Amino acid sequence: MKASPGGYARANDLAHAMLLLASAEGMGRVLAGGQSLIAAMNMRLSTGDMLVDISRITELSGVTDGQTTLRIGALTKHAEIGTSPLIRKHAPLLAEAVTYIAHAAIRNRGTIGGALAHADPAAEFPACMLALGATLYIHGPDGERSVAAEDFFQGLFETSLEEGEILTAIAVPKAEANERQVLQEVVRRSGDYALAGLCLVTRSNGHRISLLSVGSTPVLARNAMVQLDRGDLDSAVAALREEIDPPSDTQASADYRRHIAGVLLRRAVAQSRGDAA
């Protein structure tokens, strides 16, 4: 199947992109890496679009070292996230996530902003942002606004992005000296979406736990975090399994995903404590 007829325009800069979206009369679609959007268009899940290509806007790419955060441009490619010395040092969870994302061709074209805006609940980066407590920066007709990762993902492939807005950057807190960041997944084969996945960030003020592939959005497991902060791993596992509502599909049942989520939490805690590789 091929995409339905539509329009295309390449933006020279952010202001030009905003102008193009405003003139698209609600049919504007932001094109960055195109790894998800083009596939959706070819399946006629999105029709009659005016594609606004922002891929050449250099100001939206790269990683900047701030005093307490890393600012990551939305057009920074997955492969660049995986090899960035700043990411590896201050946000290693993101570098680890890249190794789980599909295959090299996707990693070389896909962008972190595109992955977040697409909001696939089975993708790694959305769950990572929840675990890290990231802030997302959005530019729209009225200027820039910021949204906490917890408030950005609102439903299946749905975010807080409004018409005419573009996700421009993400700010991630820099890891503390003794902070541990762990990602665990279960997949049928390399490159597949995870049947279930879990991110664990261990900081001096407590734990943050997020999950992927267990609901219509990435999940921040608040109840499990409380129990783990108390040092009760068994209760944390029980709370985790209670607060998620995973789907059943041809790959795995809801009960299996719920069970695996608890197993992954135990593995992540063991790895964080140095008891496992």
Side-chain angles (χ1 to χ4, degrees):
M1 188 176 292
K2 297 297 182 181
S4 63
Y8 171 88
R10 175 175 290 163
N12 300 320
D13 52 33
L14 185 56
H16 188 207
M18 300 306 303
L19 180 62
L20 291 170
L21 285 175
S23 64
E25 299 181 346
M27 296 304 295
R29 300 290 182 267
V30 176
L31 176 64
Q35 301 305 287
S36 299
L37 177 59
I38 299 302
M41 292 175 63
N42 285 340
M43 291 187 287
R44 298 293 179 98
L45 298 177
S46 186
T47 61
D49 302 305
M50 170 64 182
L51 297 183
V52 177
D53 186 347
I54 65 171
S55 63
R56 301 287 181 89
I57 304 179
T58 56
E59 64 191 273
L60 300 185
S61 184
V63 182
T64 305
D65 190 354
Q67 185 173 9
T68 59
T69 64
L70 292 182
R71 186 178 176 99
I72 307 170
L75 291 183
T76 307
K77 292 181 172 59
H78 301 335
E80 295 169 340
I81 296 291
T83 58
S84 166
L86 287 173
I87 295 290
R88 288 181 173 275
K89 179 178 180 180
H90 299 296
L93 184 67
L94 298 179
E96 176 70 11
V98 172
T99 66
Y100 289 94
I101 297 174
H103 304 285
I106 299 296
R107 296 192 289 268
N108 286 330
R109 288 290 302 171
T111 64
I112 190 169
L116 298 177
H118 187 54
D120 189 331
E124 285 79 10
F125 279 147
C128 288
M129 294 305 166
L130 286 183
L132 293 171
T135 300
L136 288 76
Y137 290 91
I138 298 167
H139 197 86
D142 298 323
E144 187 178 72
R145 65 186 180 97
S146 61
V147 179
E150 293 97 306
D151 300 321
F152 184 75
F153 305 104
Q154 298 188 341
L156 184 63
F157 302 113
E158 294 182 358
T159 71
S160 62
L161 281 168
E162 298 177 0
E163 185 177 318
E165 291 187 326
I166 297 175
L167 175 62
T168 57
I170 308 99
V172 177
K174 294 169 71 172
E176 301 172 352
N178 297 318
E179 182 170 317
R180 296 300 304 272
Q181 300 180 5
V182 174
L183 173 61
Q184 290 276 347
E185 288 190 4
V186 170
V187 297
R188 292 172 62 90
R189 58 185 178 183
S190 177
D192 282 0
Y193 282 116
L195 300 179
L198 181 142
C199 303
L200 172 64
V201 175
T202 304
R203 294 172 174 158
S204 59
N205 62 350
H207 301 82
R208 289 181 68 88
I209 304 168
S210 67
L211 297 102
L212 55 125
S213 287
V214 296
S216 60
T217 66
V219 176
L220 186 65
R222 300 179 187 275
N223 295 338
M225 287 157 51
V226 170
Q227 296 301 326
L228 199 57
D229 286 348
R230 293 172 177 168
D232 190 341
L233 178 55
D234 289 341
S235 293
V237 170
L240 178 70
R241 289 173 172 160
E242 181 68 25
E243 64 184 312
I244 61 175
D245 185 22
S248 291
D249 54 33
T250 58
Q251 303 300 312
S253 68
D255 287 342
Y256 179 76
R257 285 190 165 97
R258 187 175 288 109
H259 170 74
I260 286 298
V263 172
L264 292 179
L265 178 55
R266 292 188 185 277
R267 290 179 181 175
V269 169
Q271 183 178 342
S272 181
R273 292 173 177 172
D275 298 331

